[in-house]
Amino acid sequence: MRYFIAKTVSKEGLNLMFGDTSNDTVTVFDETWTMATILEFLGVEIGPEKDQEIPRGLSQFEAVEGDFDQNVFILNL
């Protein structure tokens, strides 16, 4: 599992949503990030015409063959 959390999410909020997670699976992002930034971090490139803002709330993306190798959770509050 790979977790991306907004810098506005506290450690307590992270633990509340996902339980105790290791620091190497959590990436903190700020307001300058977009979905393309997260996908690039995972090794997936998309064209700028398909880029979009990171949705608010909790998002989950399941790994699909050839896309990336881990399920991804994004918490953006």
Side-chain angles (χ1 to χ4, degrees):
M1 304 270 186
R2 186 83 211 157
Y3 303 94
F4 292 87
I5 62 167
K7 69 177 183 180
T8 57
V9 177
S10 66
K11 181 67 174 171
E12 293 79 18
L14 175 66
N15 289 342
L16 179 66
M17 291 298 294
F18 304 116
D20 190 22
T21 58
S22 69
N23 287 341
D24 61 334
T25 62
V26 177
T27 301
V28 178
F29 64 87
D30 64 32
E31 63 277 349
T32 64
W33 282 42
T34 65
M35 285 302 294
T37 313
I38 289 177
L39 290 172
E40 181 180 326
F41 191 91
L42 296 169
V44 178
E45 292 189 32
I46 63 170
E49 71 282 354
K50 293 186 178 181
D51 195 12
Q52 57 184 319
E53 291 184 16
I54 298 171
R56 294 277 183 197
L58 176 64
S59 303
Q60 176 187 4
F61 299 91
E62 292 186 34
V64 178
E65 285 184 39
D67 284 350
F68 44 89
D69 59 358
Q70 303 176 63
N71 289 337
V72 176
F73 291 90
I74 303 171
L75 183 58
N76 187 17
L77 303 176

